[in-house]
Amino acid sequence: MDLFSGLIHGFSVALTPMNLLFGFLGAVIGTIIGILPGLGPLGTMALLLSLTYGFDPTAGMILFAGIYFGAMYGGSTTSILLNIPGEAASVVTCIEGYQMARRGRAGAALAVAAIGSFVAGTISLIGLSFLAPTLANAALKFGPPEYLAVALVGLMIMSRLTGGNLLKSLMMIALGLALGTVGMETVAGYMRYTFKQPLLAQGIDFLPVAMGLFGISEVLVTAEEPAGNMQLQKVRFRELWPTLVEWKRSFWPIIRGSFIGFFVGLVPGPSPVIATMVSYSVENKLDKSGEFGKGAIEGVAGPEAANNAAVGGAYVPLMALGIPFTPAMAVVMAVLLIHGITPGPLLMSENPDLFWGVIASMYIGNFMLLVFNLPLVGVFASIIRAPLYLLMPIVLLLCLVGVYSVNNSILDIWLMTGFGLLGYLLRRLRYDLAPLVLALILGPMMERSFREAMMISRGDLSVFVSRPISGTILLVGAIVLVAPLLIAWIKPLISRKA
Amino acid sequence: MLRRTGYAVVVFLVVAFATNVFAQGTSAKVDYPKKPINTLIGFAPGGGSDVMISMVRPHLEKALKTTFVPVYKPGSGSDIALMELSTSKPDGYTVVISCTPQVPINAYVREAGYKISDFAFVANVVTDPGIFVVRAESPYKTIADVIKAAKEKPGTLSVGVSSAPGDDWFAMHMFEGAAQIKLNIVPFSGDGPSWQAALAGHVDATSNNLSIVYAQLRAGKLRALAIMTDQRSPIIPDVPTFKEMGYNFASGSSRGFSMPKNTPKAIIDIFAGAVKQVMNTEEFKAIALKTAFPSDYQGPEEYTAYIKKLDTIYRPLWDKYGKSPDAAAK
């Protein structure tokens, strides 16, 4: 079956009332769990997993695709409105999104995030339909040395992410990396910094740290403000939507973010997170408005497009090769397994109904998400009109329940509280928090890939430069790092001659 | 708006606490089960434990006329879930998915917070056999090729394993001993990364589990050289066993159900009986064969003896290779 007849066949499978209902349900559930901090798409899908035994496998896959896409979008809502990243992939959205909300542009930020997510989702699905088999094989070429190269370049981008004081950024990165070493080390299972506490053996999870540093510290900072400032600016309905200028400014960031997200999404590991970072720093570099850090719409549009596109990218290795690169994809795979279908390289030829049905349903789910979310922009944006003395306690409660619900762990609640206090102090001292959180996510991946690469090469460091992909990535990274310094050095020389 | 938030909070609380509300209540002697059963899962969603419980859960719920509430307590190689089970009420309403080799070896190799004697082993469900796999383009066609290459250049042939100390890690050390060779054993962070590295050629081979690599074997992307079972597997009957080639070891990763010690025998028998009955239905068998789910039912006595036996096999291997990996690498 070639591509077009495949897709048309797919739509004929997916466009049954029952499947449409599941697509819609998935989008709704996904959006809700994305908005609520804590319980993410992974936990939700796992809870619903055995329910899908009662459905047709296509319906189950459609439901889960809706949840996954929905969560990626929903996660940005709390980031923008309350500075609480519900998902790792929305940490970057906090930086500009929350500043926009404080300036009364919450509606614009939410609308751009919704449209950006839709456009990016569509672009990545087109990529998935056309390029899946080719790209999946390319993704496999990424071995441990390549992961290390990606993570290293990611760290470099991070150090200049928010453009503040370099020394302070580096200190935050170092702290994040150090926190990432807590727990059971993955190669030989040794315990590090666990103080014989079995609960610490699993390491410090990203979520309590991010929710503490961003969410709890936000509550504390707000509580400190004088009562007169407690009410944020009133937003009139007309101002809920982005202005023409804001649309124009968002257009290219969305397109760039989509492509960045799709290609980065192919790489295993925390790819949506890296995609948002790359997109943010690209937009920051290209920015001429000078608004970055104070609520630049480009800084919402790009990363939001990137994290949704990365979801499409993540489906490529699953659909084409049966490789679940992320735990969420593994749950999606389990839907097929309980129906007696083995996802793998033969899925497309053995179960064309399912394969094309799912791809078609993802287009539908993506569209439903837009239909469901755009009308809600106004509703959500009005949340911040609620008096803060009501809103902030609710936020606190949601954070507490949310963080507990992920691992059912009391330790996570304490971690979140502790990092909330730390976050408050750091913000008062004008440190950027995003690099800390992102380093915590990348650190363990870096260590693991470095050690795996070293074991494979038997201690030969040259693997990192002699392999074409990792060599190229590192070279590009080095150029990006050195070029500004070089330009700064050459420019005066040239102007002196002239 | 507040009402909307209110609804969201209610929905959320229900989801969050549904898992715990049912934990209270009275214990039954023979009238079991009367309420939902909390199922502790020691790994993140999407892992082998998840697949196991998803496969049997719909059928088991019908047989026992109750529901299973999955409670994820991931981390530390399932130690966190096992620790929780060790302090749970022995009333049959809390079970754990117990996996080998984490049970029994974790409690031996580190401070685990529980003892193996804290558990009653109820029923084993699946034993996923170890399998030695190379990619399709690999020059190694047989185990003899692998051994020859390993003897020519000791310690250079790289074999990916899921983790140390995982079942694949133990298996490869058993293979080294049986064949008198030295491999370069590379622990990855799970089965998946290990076979993917072999498929892409980052490592020469992978020691993995049958159900994990089955789709790739069937598609011809990976090639199985030998399987670590006593008899050939009905799922891939063409693949020879290590034993028939004269290398006397077997290995695999088992997952089953366990309860706290002192759980009444009547309850254990009801639960184990239901597992046995479910796994014997034609419907279940058909799905199991299609998805390469290597069923291996063991009742309470058999399962307990199996865990004990593994403990005696693994301990000396860990003492020799694991305690000081740096020394073992030399």
Side-chain angles (χ1 to χ4, degrees), chain A residues 134-202:
Chain A
T134 327
L135 285 179
N137 285 316
L140 264 184
K141 295 273 179 285
F142 276 73
E146 284 75 23
Y147 299 160
L148 182 79
V150 169
L152 267 179
V153 172
L155 273 190
M156 268 163 44
I157 293 173
M158 214 158 34
S159 65
R160 304 305 297 141
L161 191 64
T162 42
N165 184 325
L166 179 63
L167 181 65
K168 284 184 167 178
S169 289
L170 289 176
M171 283 166 74
M172 287 296 98
I173 291 175
L175 182 59
L177 291 177
L179 287 171
T181 62
V182 173
M184 192 171 70
E185 157 275 337
T186 51
V187 175
Y190 286 117
M191 296 297 175
R192 294 193 295 215
Y193 309 112
T194 53
F195 306 102
K196 302 217 164 175
Q197 290 293 311
L199 280 174
L200 274 176
Q202 58 185 320

Side-chain angles (χ1 to χ4, degrees), chain A residues 32 36-39 42-43 46-47 49-51 53 137 140-147 184-191 196 198-202 268 321-325 327-328 330-331 334 336-346 350 376 379-380 382-383 386 390 394 397-398 401-409 448 451-452 455-458 467, chain B residues 1-2 4-5 8-9 11-13 15-17 19-20 44-47 50-51 53-55 57-59 61 69-77 79-80 83-84 110-113 154-156 158 162-165 183-189 193 195-197 199-203 211 214-216 218-219 221 283 287 290-292 318 322-325 329:
Chain A
I32 293 173
L36 295 168
L39 195 73
L42 181 61
L47 287 174
L49 185 59
S50 59
L51 204 70
Y53 183 73
N137 285 316
L140 264 184
K141 295 273 179 285
F142 276 73
E146 284 75 23
Y147 299 160
M184 192 171 70
E185 157 275 337
T186 51
V187 175
Y190 286 117
M191 296 297 175
K196 302 217 164 175
L199 280 174
L200 274 176
Q202 58 185 320
L321 294 177
I323 302 177
F325 274 155
V331 181
L336 298 177
L337 281 174
I338 61 176
H339 281 95
I341 299 163
T342 337
L346 299 179
E350 286 183 349
L376 288 181
V379 179
F380 286 131
S382 60
I383 286 183
L390 283 180
I394 292 175
L397 190 72
L398 278 178
V401 176
V403 82
Y404 178 76
S405 72
V406 178
N407 288 332
N408 298 313
S409 157
R448 200 169 57 229
R451 294 185 62 186
E452 283 168 6
M455 292 194 81
I456 293 171
S457 74
R458 302 175 53 75
R467 291 168 59 115
Chain B
M1 187 52 239
L2 268 180
R4 195 177 291 271
T5 318
V9 172
V11 169
F12 196 73
L13 289 177
V15 175
F17 291 120
T19 51
N20 290 312
D50 227 21
V51 172
I53 188 73
S54 315
M55 294 280 281
R57 186 172 146 196
H59 309 280
E61 286 184 342
V69 183
V71 183
Y72 292 91
K73 293 267 179 181
S76 200
D79 280 355
I80 299 185
M83 206 167 60
E84 168 123 352
R110 58 173 177 251
E111 203 80 28
T156 52
S158 54
S162 61
S163 65
L183 303 165
N184 177 21
I185 299 172
V186 182
F188 282 85
S189 56
W195 73 252
Q196 286 145 27
L199 179 62
H202 304 305
V203 287
S211 75
Y214 179 65
Q216 306 299 325
R218 223 166 47 101
K221 302 254 178 188
E283 185 193 3
I287 290 182
K290 265 204 277 180
T291 53
W318 174 258
K323 265 188 180 161
S324 169

